[in-house]
Amino acid sequence: MKPKEVLALCREKDVKAIDLRFMDFPGIWQHFTIPVNKLAEDVFEDGLGFDGSSIRGWQAINESDMILVPQPETAVLDPFTTLPTLSMICNIQDPITREDYSRDPRNVARKSVNYLKSTGIADTAYIGPEAEFFIFDDVRFDARANEAYYHLDSIEGEWNRGRVENPNLGYKLRHKEGYFPVPPADQLMNIRNEMMQTMIDCGMDVEAQHHEVATAGQCEIDLRFQNLVRMADQMCLYKYIIKNVARKYNKTVTFMPKPLYGDNGSGMHTHVSLWKGSEPLFAGSGYAGLSEMALYAIGGLLKHAPAILAFSNPTTNSYKRLVPGYEAPVNLAYSQRNRSASCRIPMYSASPKAKRVEFRCPDPSCNPYLAFSAILMAVIDGIQNKINPGQPLDKDIYDLSPEELAEVPKTPGSLEEALSALKADHEFLLRGDVFTEDVISTWINYKSEKEVDAMRLRPHPYEFCLYYDI
């Protein structure tokens, strides 16, 4: 869509407001709104000013002015506002140099795609994430000097089998048995259908929706793969739609990787493939029908996975999902069917166009622009340097001897470990000026101070269970 077409759409749909959106550094969508009569063609070129010092991880207060430039191809009618509103995603620029801002996550994603093209390896990176989430009926939490707690509830929760609900009709999902019972056990079918249809109405290509493994409302809605920047844009809209549809039903959604103890966490298995024109480059005659290029891509992912996880699993909570001995993909190995391996090659279709690599570590707490870009840069590095991924892990991980298991590298055990890995291994991210040293150091410092240290300094409620009577 061109600027003239956006203005024509506004007239056709009697739009009254324009909502301008962008992603902050850690990964939360931000916005402000202007009357529709303030949107002229020159705004798409000149942009609009705002205070960058108030955005997490961005400008200092003495250099706070920033420019926000709407991208017409992202225009969509907002399905939730009372006043007819059209939203657009924006790029961020420096007001003096008019250069794209290095810490704008969308700019990083755009540069990663441009770098891929410059290498001659491929001209398109397709990304297909499978984001999981929980729909809860109630959430309460706080953390103070003298207390800390959280409380979650769901009509589906196993713990509510004996609750007085006037009447309690049963059909509570047992732990790890939420995949795929029909209603009435699955009590969220209608909500997910509305989420799915709202996404379709907003131009998104939805492939499926279903309940996920955990009790208490774990769900998944899958989108068809798109090019990297478009998919990152769509993941922002995906979260927006899911959260707002849930709110209509007086429910709440979280993309936290591990909100419940003792049941499955929420991942975001991310499918990756490279294409040149209409030719899929990951299909071949090698292991699991992969090309040599695809195997090298896996080599890059496995080599750089600890550093990638600083972006793809960027919360302290992420590592309560990635725990050895459970179903989480903590093994830095590849396999054509083994879901305990961090890189899996789906075997659902023999079509060369369906051949891709599924990187199973990421979770939906990530900033999609940064996570997808880090994944792509590792793939490129693997291909350029012909990184051998080693032998596949086709055995059941639970059947391996302790000696065999010890030889399989593991994902980092904490956000602190992942940030340390990023600090030691980020040269591959700097190529093509995709990530900059400024972006890397700001990310490490922000996460270390605001999250790692903030968690380390606070007593944990379970510590009282363990130690109060010492």
Side-chain angles (χ1 to χ4, degrees):
M1 193 178 292
K2 305 297 184 186
K4 287 183 184 298
E5 295 172 313
V6 172
L7 296 175
L9 179 64
C10 289
R11 292 190 294 270
E12 177 190 345
K13 299 297 183 181
D14 196 25
V15 168
K16 301 297 186 185
I18 304 296
D19 203 48
L20 303 170
R21 300 179 181 181
F22 61 95
M23 181 68 86
D24 74 3
F25 201 47
I28 300 295
W29 230 10
Q30 310 290 320
H31 79 130
F32 68 87
T33 309
I34 60 174
V36 69
N37 63 6
K38 299 300 180 184
L39 182 69
E41 258 193 272
D42 58 3
V43 172
F44 291 92
E45 191 69 31
D46 298 338
L48 297 167
F50 72 102
D51 176 9
S53 68
S54 296
I55 306 302
R56 297 182 301 169
W58 277 13
Q59 296 292 82
I61 196 160
N62 62 310
E63 49 182 8
S64 61
D65 290 352
M66 302 293 290
I67 296 291
L68 178 150
V69 184
Q71 301 303 298
E73 71 275 10
T74 68
V76 64
L77 294 169
D78 192 297
F80 303 108
T81 54
T82 303
L83 193 69
T85 300
L86 182 137
S87 73
M88 284 184 285
I89 297 173
C90 302
N91 292 337
I92 310 302
Q93 293 182 351
D94 183 282
I96 298 174
T97 66
R98 293 310 300 254
E99 292 180 352
D100 292 325
Y101 184 44
S102 64
R103 295 187 212 168
D104 172 16
R106 194 171 192 269
N107 181 34
V108 173
R110 290 160 57 221
K111 287 192 293 182
S112 73
V113 172
N114 290 336
Y115 177 65
L116 172 67
K117 294 176 182 176
S118 75
T119 65
I121 292 171
D123 51 36
T124 306
Y126 284 120
I127 302 291
E130 301 175 357
E132 299 167 341
F133 54 93
F134 279 86
I135 302 175
F136 292 121
D137 292 293
D138 188 41
V139 55
R140 290 178 279 122
F141 53 88
D142 209 343
R144 308 181 190 184
N146 67 318
E147 65 176 353
Y149 69 92
Y150 69 91
H151 175 83
L152 302 168
D153 207 359
S154 164
I155 189 67
E156 290 185 349
E158 180 179 291
W159 54 83
N160 282 326
R161 287 184 296 200
R163 184 172 68 174
V164 176
E165 295 179 353
N166 299 311
N168 186 325
L169 300 177
Y171 302 113
K172 310 302 184 187
L173 293 176
R174 289 178 286 273
H175 287 293
K176 300 183 182 295
E177 294 189 18
Y179 191 89
F180 292 158
V182 298
D186 176 2
Q187 301 187 43
L188 300 169
M189 174 75 167
N190 289 332
I191 295 177
R192 290 198 310 275
N193 272 343
E194 184 168 336
M195 292 170 177
M196 177 176 70
Q197 188 58 50
T198 305
M199 290 178 190
I200 293 170
D201 293 343
C202 289
M204 301 167 73
D205 191 349
V206 180
E207 292 195 321
Q209 61 89 350
H210 59 84
H211 205 287
E212 256 299 339
V213 173
T215 186
Q218 190 183 35
C219 300
E220 178 176 314
I221 301 176
D222 296 329
L223 303 178
R224 181 173 172 78
F225 64 86
Q226 302 286 345
N227 69 66
L228 188 149
V229 175
R230 179 166 173 77
M231 181 51 75
D233 288 343
Q234 288 199 349
M235 285 308 299
C236 299
L237 186 57
Y238 176 96
K239 287 188 173 184
Y240 178 74
I241 290 171
I242 286 171
K243 289 178 178 179
N244 280 282
V245 169
R247 189 174 178 85
K248 282 177 59 178
Y249 286 83
N250 204 30
K251 294 181 185 289
T252 179
V253 163
T254 183
F255 289 89
M256 273 181 65
K258 189 69 172 179
L260 294 181
Y261 169 70
D263 212 332
N264 283 37
S266 293
M268 190 180 74
H269 307 149
T270 301
H271 298 252
V272 186
S273 64
L274 300 184
W275 290 55
K276 182 171 281 189
S278 60
E279 180 188 359
L281 302 179
F282 277 10
S285 58
Y287 173 81
L290 293 177
S291 65
E292 186 177 56
M293 177 186 289
L295 289 168
Y296 290 147
I298 292 172
L301 285 170
L302 296 178
K303 176 182 177 180
H304 298 298
I308 295 171
L309 263 62
F311 292 108
S312 66
N313 303 72
T315 69
T316 58
N317 186 254
S318 297
Y319 299 87
K320 292 178 169 60
R321 166 181 168 257
L322 292 176
V323 178
Y326 296 89
E327 295 179 18
V330 299
N331 300 292
L332 295 180
Y334 69 103
S335 174
Q336 62 181 355
R337 300 179 74 180
N338 191 340
R339 280 176 161 78
S340 66
S342 59
C343 288
R344 189 178 74 95
I345 300 89
M347 303 300 289
Y348 301 124
S349 172
S351 169
K353 294 182 177 181
K355 194 56 62 178
R356 72 263 192 201
V357 175
E358 178 189 7
F359 187 45
R360 294 177 59 81
C361 297
D363 68 54
S365 69
C366 71
N367 183 325
Y369 297 105
L370 300 181
F372 297 162
S373 299
I375 290 169
L376 176 58
M377 294 302 286
V379 163
I380 294 171
D381 185 60
I383 295 168
Q384 288 178 324
N385 292 294
K386 295 180 165 52
I387 298 174
N388 190 325
Q391 294 301 308
L393 180 67
D394 286 334
K395 297 180 180 179
D396 186 337
I397 193 72
Y398 301 108
D399 289 340
L400 295 180
S401 68
E403 293 76 21
E404 290 176 301
L405 192 58
E407 293 180 1
V408 181
K410 300 291 188 293
T411 55
S414 67
L415 177 57
E416 186 174 18
E417 288 182 28
L419 294 171
S420 295
L422 176 63
K423 187 174 183 179
D425 175 29
H426 62 261
E427 189 276 333
F428 74 101
L429 297 171
L430 303 178
R431 294 173 196 158
D433 199 39
V434 174
F435 289 78
T436 62
E437 287 284 3
D438 172 61
V439 167
I440 299 294
S441 62
T442 302
W443 184 264
I444 292 172
N445 292 338
Y446 180 91
K447 287 286 175 176
S448 297
E449 177 186 349
K450 302 294 186 182
E451 298 179 31
V452 173
D453 289 348
M455 281 292 294
R456 181 165 37 215
L457 290 169
R458 284 169 168 79
H460 189 285
Y462 194 64
E463 289 177 317
F464 287 83
C465 300
L466 293 174
Y467 308 129
Y468 186 78
D469 58 351
I470 287 177

